[in-house]
Amino acid sequence: MILESEEHQKNTIEEVSKKFLIVGLGNIGGEYVNTRHNIGFKVLDYIASKHGVSFETAKLGVVAEISIKGRKLILLKPNTYMNLSGKAVQYWMQKENISKENLLIITDDLNLAFGTIRIKGKGTDGGHNGLKNIQLLLNTSEYPRFRFGISDEFKKGQQIDYVLGEWNAVEKEKLPERFELGKQIVESFALAGLNETMNSFNGK
């Protein structure tokens, strides 16, 4: 019986380790769809479309599931608005029994040039309200994040308008290639792990 229990425990741990929560940050509402702040939503939309799955309304967000080589990826777009993103992240981590090592947050970043990718296992919130709330509710800054550069090409006092503004023509042209890279990053995170993904994709 002890052996059976240990085997069951081992299987449960393996199942948990093969489950991932991929969270794209953004704001709900038609007026935000194509804004820079919603890049997290856009990357997840691209991944879902390439895997032929649709998002369904669930508690605190919309969710889609994909499977890659035995890994289950839960794609989550919180509907809490950006500054309460942590509420949705915390709920789905608990519901699906997902560790912070298997959590990946996709977010925009003003401190990086447009399209620049930075993947890290921990870090500060960088003044980002979504990350700030996630850190508050998870009580840690040590969770994987995939930051997508949106640059800081705005005049003093124009930050909010810039972040909530739409992509310019040059950026729109380059976004599809960046979305494809985002898909590769998410799949690599689930299959190869954080360190391998950072080594392969940072700076691309």
Side-chain angles (χ1 to χ4, degrees), residues 116-134:
T116 303
I117 301 298
R118 284 286 182 281
I119 303 139
K120 295 178 75 177
K122 60 183 178 179
T124 66
D125 57 55
H128 191 287
N129 288 332
L131 296 181
K132 202 174 288 185
N133 190 245
I134 291 168

Side-chain angles (χ1 to χ4, degrees), residues 23-27 37-42 44 76-78 82 85-86 89 105-108 128-131 134:
V23 184
L25 298 187
N27 282 312
H37 218 25
N38 271 38
I39 191 66
F41 280 13
K42 284 294 192 181
L44 291 195
L76 168 66
K77 297 192 293 182
M82 188 68 83
S85 299
V89 173
I105 305 293
I106 306 173
T107 180
D108 59 301
H128 191 287
N129 288 332
L131 296 181
I134 291 168

Side-chain angles (χ1 to χ4, degrees), residues 165-181:
E166 299 199 356
W167 306 99
N168 63 39
V170 174
E171 291 168 340
K172 281 179 184 173
E173 195 178 315
K174 294 178 179 176
L175 279 174
E177 179 266 332
R178 295 283 96 184
F179 290 155
E180 176 58 31
L181 188 64

Side-chain angles (χ1 to χ4, degrees), residues 11-75:
N11 290 341
T12 302
I13 290 168
E14 283 179 1
E15 282 172 22
V16 168
S17 68
K18 289 180 180 178
K19 200 190 293 187
F20 299 82
L21 181 63
I22 314 297
V23 184
L25 298 187
N27 282 312
I28 58 170
E31 68 270 35
Y32 298 112
V33 171
N34 294 310
T35 61
R36 294 181 176 91
H37 218 25
N38 271 38
I39 191 66
F41 280 13
K42 284 294 192 181
V43 172
L44 291 195
D45 286 341
Y46 181 87
I47 294 170
S49 70
K50 288 298 179 181
H51 283 270
V53 298
S54 300
F55 283 91
E56 295 181 1
T57 302
K59 186 165 181 178
L60 299 176
V62 292
V63 173
E65 286 184 15
I66 62 174
S67 293
I68 308 170
K69 296 182 181 177
R71 267 62 165 189
K72 177 181 175 183
L73 280 66
I74 299 164
L75 312 180

